[in-house]
Amino acid sequence: AAGMFLRLLSDVRWRAADPKWRRMTCSRRSTSSTAEPHPVSLPAQARVVICGGGIMGTSVAYHLSKMGWKDVVLLEQGRLAAGSTRFCAGIVSTARHASVELKMADYSNKLYQQLEQETGVKTGYTRTGSVSLAQTQDRLISLKRIASSLNVMGIPCEIITPKQVAQLHPLINIHDLVGAMYVPEDALVSSANVSLALATAASRNGVQIHERTSVSHVLVQKGRVTGVGTDRGQIQCQYFVNCAGQWAYELGHSGEEPVNIPLHACEHFYLLTHPLKEPLASNIPTVVDPDGRIYIRNWQGGILSGGFEKNPKPLFTEGRNQLEIHNLQEDWDHFEPLLSALLRRMPDLEALQIMQLVNCPESFTPDMRCIMGESPTVQGYFVLAGMNSAGISYGGGAGKYLAEWMVNGYPSENVWPLDLKRFGTLQSSRTFLRHRVMEVMPLMCDLKVPRWDFQTGRQLRTSPLYDRLDAQGARWMEKHGFERVKYFVPPGRDLLDLDQSKTFYKPDWFDIVGSEVKCCKEAVCVIDMSSFTKFEISSTGDQALESLQYLFSNDLDVPVGHVVHTGMLNEKGGYENDCSIARLSKRSFFMISPTDQQVHCWAWLKNRLPDDSSLTMEDVTWKYTALNLIGPRAVDVLSELSYAPITPEHFPSLFCKEMSVGYANGIRVMSITHTGEPGFMLYIPIEYALHVYNEVMNMGQKYGIRNAGYYALRSLRIEKFFAFWGQDLDAFTTPMECGREFQVKLEKGMEFVGQEALLEQKQNGVYKRFTMFILEDHDTDMDLWPWWGEPIYRNGRYVGKTTSSAYSYTLERHVCLGFVQHFDEKTGEELVVTTDFINQGEYEIDIAGQRFQAKAKLYPFSSLFTHRRRKDEEELSGYQRE
């Protein structure tokens, strides 16, 4: 293998040095950019203008036209499919971790399969299947988790042995493999031809397509898109779709109202070879070797092989415009590790003749998920970009979801993990993006075990207590750019060992979190929860109350000082947000939401609150530090610090009072903990945070106080059957489906958003039900742990997936939360889920292919806890608390 590697490298260096090779490559490039005249003038107006003629732009145009929107104009600054799409490796793979990505890829595969027949344009669609290799047991577990999800989606998939890999692809070296995953319906396409086929179909449906037309800026009036400026004049429009790929960031910032689209380009390399002596069969499976960081596919009888190196090369950080993406400079030294991996995996390639090393830009996002949706700042401005090298796999599905979003006001699936509004302005710093994509690109292949964290772009948003907590052993994770404590490492523990332990099994922090949970239940703990989103809404008259009554499902016309748990619902009754609202005065309200709601919730309310100068909404997230004082002794600590009676008579559950704590005035104290345990939330003006924290810790010493983190909080809230927004609850989940009818006041004397849908569910029943599962035959020490996304089986039939899980230190069992559905055994039709249906089934949870018996519950184990049942029900709000 070493000799062959040297021969291959000498062949490579000869090509790089040969002037004839260079001339040929250059001439090929120069011919691609010859200017063409503009035969047709631009229309003066259109309903929708799409910028970008790659796979994303053409897919959106195709799906909009299919849904009946014909007045659509697609503008491309160069030629159609001449950007990243032209250089795409053309692998359509459904093997994805996230459910929404898996569904997008599956839809894309089915769409491309029939596209040639629909349009007459050859797409090169070939069903080859794919084989994902595992060199380690952990990698195999990861593949088994994906396989479980694929199988319940109806996508054929199996875990196979190394010998079976050799039968499927005889050139693959299997000596270091422990297994693999085979997905027989994965495919190959010509990406550019798929894009042209979509454009052809869209054009036949009335979409106007103009090449050689550059969008310079987007026109905005009163927060809405009104038109687009181009190098050939203006077009008035109601909707603009930014599908500009790697230029989406610059285009977003070129408008009159900037739209932040956090993505950054990196160089992406792959190798093309001449056909082998015995050309590869056209249907030979694509091979993905994540541990070797490479993928290998058939290309005209030879090999196309690329990968995701550990030291990626970001580019265009300073911004740079060019019509089409030309093949960037070859860099064989940089590609060498991937080349070595290829030769280790396919050592028989002695006769390999290299045709070309392709280097093209590929856009990556801060969290490795694509970006879609409407801008939070400009109505009518939609985005679809940042595909993280999976553009062809997602193209069909992503275009469909975005078109549905535009036409119907919402897509047919929960796309929150991909929504542009999951990011804030802080993720749009060019320095941040450059550093983050250098971490993201290698992570495409790295093994992602549960609870891993990004290392770049950290310590950006911090609580004033950050240094104090860090010095006491805090271990940090990040949410929406905010640093939050996972747990505290006790003195004497090996910090390095703990930081590097990553596993699908029982984690090293198990006992640490257990002791924090014990303290929450028996004494008192402090958790810094400053990352919560906090808004103040007030008015000079009754406008604030009237507006909030319409936008929220619970009754907010409560006495001053009361706290209400409520959903912010959409027209379908689904949760756009789940929050707590305290009535501070007759005309002023304090709203607490999950951390990642900061952009989404603000945009949702801003677009729906009346345009009234006497009504104000302010984001006060940064003004308050939030401390959660949890445990039976919390009342003792607080009463000693405030010299005020904190008994249930003076301070009932779900109550809010401004108090002094120590020397500090104006502390908003609320009798909730978001876990079901007794205690208080303290909202402290930021300048008093350190003082109040010190006072609480000093006073609490005699009561056994200690710091705790979000892992303890997760265990507490899951064993109490509290759902949280963003994982358990989403825009497709209603209060009726998760046992929260008591948070909805259907007869509150006025209409509210989602009321009609909820009344219908109340009358007809629900088609899914939020359920708690306790694993029965699961060995915490030896078995794989559930994390989230595991299939749920009832009497041997698939009925849903888990949405979150944690170990309950009280029950000494794993607890999973998830939704159960009822499908007709013959027709597959959805049926109403009744209490009897839940209670009469035998359940199993599938963890990476292994099924564990589980007991289903619709209510928490109140009898095991010291709490009154009434308090449990009142606080069963547990919106996102993570």
Side-chain angles (χ1 to χ4, degrees):
M4 179 190 63
F5 180 69
L6 291 170
R7 281 202 302 283
L8 191 53
L9 230 51
S10 65
D11 179 31
V12 161
R13 284 172 183 148
W14 169 79
R15 288 190 180 285
D18 181 47
K20 196 162 64 179
W21 169 260
R22 284 173 181 257
R23 274 200 307 277
M24 191 173 79
T25 315
C26 290
S27 67
R28 192 188 300 139
R29 290 177 196 160
S30 61
T31 55
S32 70
S33 55
T34 43
E36 294 167 11
H38 301 294
V40 185
S41 59
L42 293 181
Q45 60 185 56
R47 189 178 201 170
V48 182
V49 173
I50 300 168
C51 174
I55 185 72
M56 293 301 146
T58 54
S59 179
V60 173
Y62 171 87
H63 286 96
L64 283 174
S65 68
K66 284 271 185 186
M67 295 181 75
W69 281 22
K70 312 288 187 186
D71 188 13
V72 177
V73 175
L74 188 151
L75 306 178
E76 163 55 49
Q77 63 176 351
R79 295 168 313 157
L80 286 178
S84 298
T85 301
R86 176 161 64 111
F87 290 103
C88 178
I91 300 168
V92 183
S93 167
T94 50
R96 308 286 164 187
H97 285 279
S99 173
V100 65
E101 292 175 339
L102 194 157
K103 288 174 181 173
M104 286 196 307
D106 185 44
Y107 173 83
S108 299
N109 196 345
K110 292 180 169 73
L111 172 68
Y112 303 157
Q113 192 177 353
Q114 54 86 35
L115 203 54
E116 189 171 319
Q117 190 179 351
E118 181 187 342
T119 63
V121 178
K122 289 194 182 303
T123 59
Y125 183 91
T126 309
R127 181 169 284 178
T128 60
S130 71
V131 179
S132 299
L133 310 178
Q135 294 182 30
T136 65
Q137 287 298 334
D138 271 351
R139 177 70 68 182
L140 192 59
I141 291 166
S142 179
L143 294 177
K144 285 177 177 177
R145 287 179 66 87
I146 295 173
S148 291
S149 294
L150 289 171
N151 283 323
V152 297
M153 283 278 299
I155 300 169
C157 170
E158 58 180 315
I159 298 297
I160 59 175
T161 63
K163 279 186 179 176
Q164 289 172 295
V165 172
Q167 289 164 4
L168 287 166
H169 203 309
L171 294 178
I172 294 296
N173 171 20
I174 62 168
H175 80 276
D176 58 347
L177 301 182
V178 296
M181 179 176 71
Y182 178 46
V183 186
E185 292 186 359
D186 280 356
L188 296 178
V189 292
S190 161
S191 309
N193 288 359
V194 166
S195 196
L196 293 172
L198 292 168
T200 301
S203 183
R204 286 176 190 162
N205 279 335
V207 173
Q208 293 186 51
I209 297 175
H210 295 268
E211 298 181 304
R212 307 289 177 198
T213 307
S214 293
V215 174
S216 55
H217 60 285
V218 178
L219 306 168
V220 178
Q221 277 182 10
K222 294 182 180 175
R224 277 208 71 93
V225 168
T226 58
V228 174
T230 79
D231 57 353
R232 296 172 56 202
Q234 287 190 1
I235 305 175
Q236 290 183 328
C237 63
Q238 296 163 263
Y239 298 92
F240 175 72
V241 189
N242 183 338
C243 295
Q246 62 170 344
W247 295 292
Y249 177 96
E250 278 81 13
L251 182 58
H253 279 263
S254 66
E256 297 172 355
E257 181 84 38
V259 173
N260 291 310
I261 304 166
L263 53 79
H264 198 295
C266 278
E267 296 183 24
H268 180 57
F269 296 88
Y270 61 77
L271 185 74
L272 296 173
T273 77
H274 288 286
L276 277 67
K277 281 181 182 172
E278 282 187 34
L280 288 176
S282 62
N283 63 347
I284 197 157
T286 296
V287 174
V288 181
D289 183 3
D291 297 310
R293 319 192 73 81
I294 57 169
Y295 55 83
I296 307 161
R297 57 155 285 193
N298 166 57
W299 189 74
Q300 299 178 4
I303 293 288
L304 182 158
S305 179
F308 300 95
E309 62 275 22
K310 288 184 176 179
N311 55 334
K313 297 167 70 175
L315 72 165
F316 305 151
T317 303
E318 67 290 343
R320 176 170 152 191
N321 201 8
Q322 57 189 78
L323 284 188
E324 292 160 15
I325 300 171
H326 300 313
N327 194 0
L328 301 164
Q329 292 297 309
E330 295 171 344
D331 187 341
W332 286 103
D333 290 337
H334 190 78
F335 190 70
E336 207 165 309
L338 299 180
L339 193 56
S340 304
L342 169 64
L343 295 171
R344 279 195 302 274
R345 190 54 57 212
M346 298 181 75
D348 294 338
L349 298 180
E350 295 209 22
L352 187 71
Q353 278 192 308
I354 293 167
M355 183 178 290
Q356 190 181 358
L357 179 65
V358 177
N359 175 5
C360 60
E362 185 68 63
S363 300
F364 294 87
T365 62
D367 62 358
M368 295 187 293
R369 292 198 169 141
C370 74
I371 296 172
M372 70 160 63
E374 189 174 15
S375 159
T377 52
V378 181
Q379 287 185 279
Y381 191 123
F382 285 82
V383 178
L384 186 56
M387 292 296 135
N388 301 283
S389 203
I392 196 66
S393 290
Y394 297 154
K400 173 178 179 272
Y401 290 158
L402 196 78
E404 290 171 345
W405 204 328
M406 295 172 70
V407 174
N408 302 328
Y410 49 86
S412 56
E413 288 290 338
N414 171 36
V415 295
W416 170 248
L418 315 176
D419 194 326
L420 171 64
K421 292 184 281 293
R422 72 190 188 272
F423 295 119
T425 51
L426 58 98
Q427 282 99 350
S428 282
S429 146
R430 285 309 256 175
T431 308
F432 165 81
L433 287 171
R434 182 182 177 89
H435 291 174
R436 175 57 67 85
V437 295
M438 290 174 75
E439 180 184 11
V440 158
M441 195 168 161
L443 277 170
M444 302 296 291
C445 289
D446 286 353
L447 186 67
K448 287 176 278 295
V449 297
R451 313 277 178 252
W452 59 274
D453 301 292
F454 289 109
Q455 301 304 308
T456 52
R458 296 295 297 271
Q459 297 177 26
L460 194 56
R461 299 175 75 196
T462 60
S463 153
L465 307 177
Y466 180 88
D467 288 341
R468 281 297 311 275
L469 301 179
D470 197 55
Q472 295 176 78
R475 282 293 158 271
W476 301 93
M477 58 183 180
E478 168 256 334
K479 184 75 170 262
H480 204 64
F482 216 113
E483 296 293 328
R484 312 195 308 177
V485 182
K486 296 190 274 194
Y487 49 81
F488 286 83
V489 180
R493 285 293 295 267
D494 185 344
L495 303 190
L496 191 66
D497 180 50
L498 202 65
D499 282 345
Q500 292 177 345
S501 68
K502 292 178 168 58
T503 178
F504 289 103
Y505 290 90
K506 179 180 174 180
D508 285 358
W509 43 256
F510 180 81
D511 293 332
I512 294 173
V513 173
S515 59
E516 290 180 7
V517 167
K518 188 171 189 284
C519 188
C520 286
K521 287 186 169 294
E522 296 176 0
V524 58
C525 278
V526 178
I527 304 180
D528 184 343
M529 298 175 72
S530 304
S531 67
F532 276 176
T533 297
K534 302 174 273 287
F535 296 162
E536 282 180 5
I537 301 159
S538 56
S539 58
T540 52
D542 292 334
Q543 300 94 327
L545 176 63
E546 287 168 8
S547 301
L548 295 181
Q549 285 282 63
Y550 174 66
L551 291 172
F552 292 87
S553 61
N554 211 338
D555 189 358
L556 296 175
D557 194 3
V558 292
V560 171
H562 282 250
V563 182
V564 177
H565 289 313
T566 180
M568 181 175 86
L569 309 181
N570 53 37
E571 284 73 13
K572 303 188 303 301
Y575 280 99
E576 291 295 332
N577 184 12
D578 190 31
C579 52
S580 303
I581 299 180
R583 191 168 193 180
L584 301 178
S585 69
K586 276 204 167 295
R587 293 166 181 171
S588 174
F589 297 84
F590 184 50
M591 175 178 169
I592 302 119
S593 305
T595 302
D596 49 5
Q597 276 279 0
Q598 192 166 12
V599 177
H600 173 71
C601 181
W602 179 269
W604 180 270
L605 291 174
K606 205 75 179 159
N607 292 338
R608 287 162 179 79
L609 286 171
D611 190 9
D612 185 339
S613 58
S614 60
L615 179 67
T616 59
M617 178 169 72
E618 185 186 0
D619 185 344
V620 294
T621 300
W622 63 274
K623 285 187 177 181
Y624 292 94
T625 297
L627 292 182
N628 196 350
L629 211 57
I630 303 181
R633 307 312 298 264
V635 61
D636 301 308
V637 175
L638 196 58
S639 59
E640 287 201 42
L641 279 173
S642 60
Y643 292 102
I646 311 288
T647 58
E649 293 74 44
H650 295 94
F651 209 130
S653 178
L654 296 173
F655 200 70
C656 174
K657 198 185 277 188
E658 280 211 355
M659 299 171 62
S660 298
V661 178
Y663 297 153
N665 285 322
I667 312 298
R668 288 176 186 169
V669 179
M670 298 187 194
S671 49
I672 52 175
T673 63
H674 312 298
T675 60
E677 300 298 326
F680 303 89
M681 285 292 304
L682 278 57
Y683 288 93
I684 308 158
I686 206 156
E687 64 267 33
Y688 300 145
L690 205 54
H691 167 75
V692 172
Y693 173 77
N694 289 338
E695 291 288 298
V696 166
M697 294 306 283
N698 290 336
M699 183 62 72
Q701 275 185 351
K702 60 185 175 186
Y703 299 110
I705 200 166
R706 65 178 287 172
N707 292 298
Y710 272 79
Y711 283 11
L713 191 85
R714 177 186 286 124
S715 175
L716 291 168
R717 70 99 181 163
I718 286 179
E719 72 178 19
K720 284 290 178 72
F721 201 11
F722 280 18
F724 76 81
W725 189 89
Q727 192 160 332
D728 304 310
L729 308 179
D730 58 41
F732 288 80
T733 309
T734 74
M736 304 299 183
E737 294 164 350
C738 54
R740 294 198 178 179
E741 296 87 340
F742 60 89
Q743 284 186 22
V744 176
K745 295 295 181 285
L746 290 168
E747 313 299 333
K748 65 178 176 180
M750 67 174 293
E751 282 184 28
F752 61 88
V753 179
Q755 185 178 28
E756 219 171 284
L758 297 186
L759 282 167
E760 194 177 312
Q761 280 194 334
K762 188 177 181 184
Q763 189 176 337
N764 301 334
V766 295
Y767 291 94
K768 61 179 180 180
R769 191 78 186 265
F770 195 50
T771 310
M772 178 182 191
F773 296 95
I774 292 87
L775 295 192
E776 298 278 284
D777 58 345
H778 183 270
D779 186 324
T780 305
D781 294 319
M782 303 303 294
D783 288 327
L784 286 168
W785 274 31
W787 296 98
W788 59 274
E790 291 86 11
I792 302 165
Y793 289 88
R794 178 187 181 276
N795 299 346
R797 292 175 60 83
Y798 170 70
V799 290
K801 279 188 174 183
T802 63
T803 50
S804 57
S805 64
Y807 182 80
S808 164
Y809 294 88
T810 311
L811 302 172
E812 296 183 343
R813 289 271 188 283
H814 256 98
V815 177
C816 301
L817 308 182
F819 285 92
V820 170
Q821 293 168 280
H822 185 185
F823 301 103
D824 186 281
E825 291 193 22
K826 289 175 183 169
T827 63
E829 180 193 352
E830 274 193 310
L831 302 173
V832 169
V833 177
T834 62
T835 304
D836 283 348
F837 179 80
I838 299 286
N839 290 337
Q840 290 168 10
E842 296 286 326
Y843 291 90
E844 294 172 303
I845 307 291
D846 177 326
I847 306 177
Q850 187 178 354
R851 295 190 192 180
F852 295 91
Q853 289 178 359
K855 190 167 190 169
K857 301 282 290 181
L858 285 170
Y859 302 97
F861 283 79
S862 318
S863 57
L864 288 167
F865 303 113
T866 54
H867 248 87
R868 299 194 313 273
R869 174 66 178 274
R870 174 71 189 140
K871 169 101 176 194
D872 271 356
E873 287 187 351
E874 280 183 338
E875 262 217 26
L876 209 99
S877 67
Y879 46 98
Q880 135 149 13
R881 287 311 159 219
E882 308 203 1

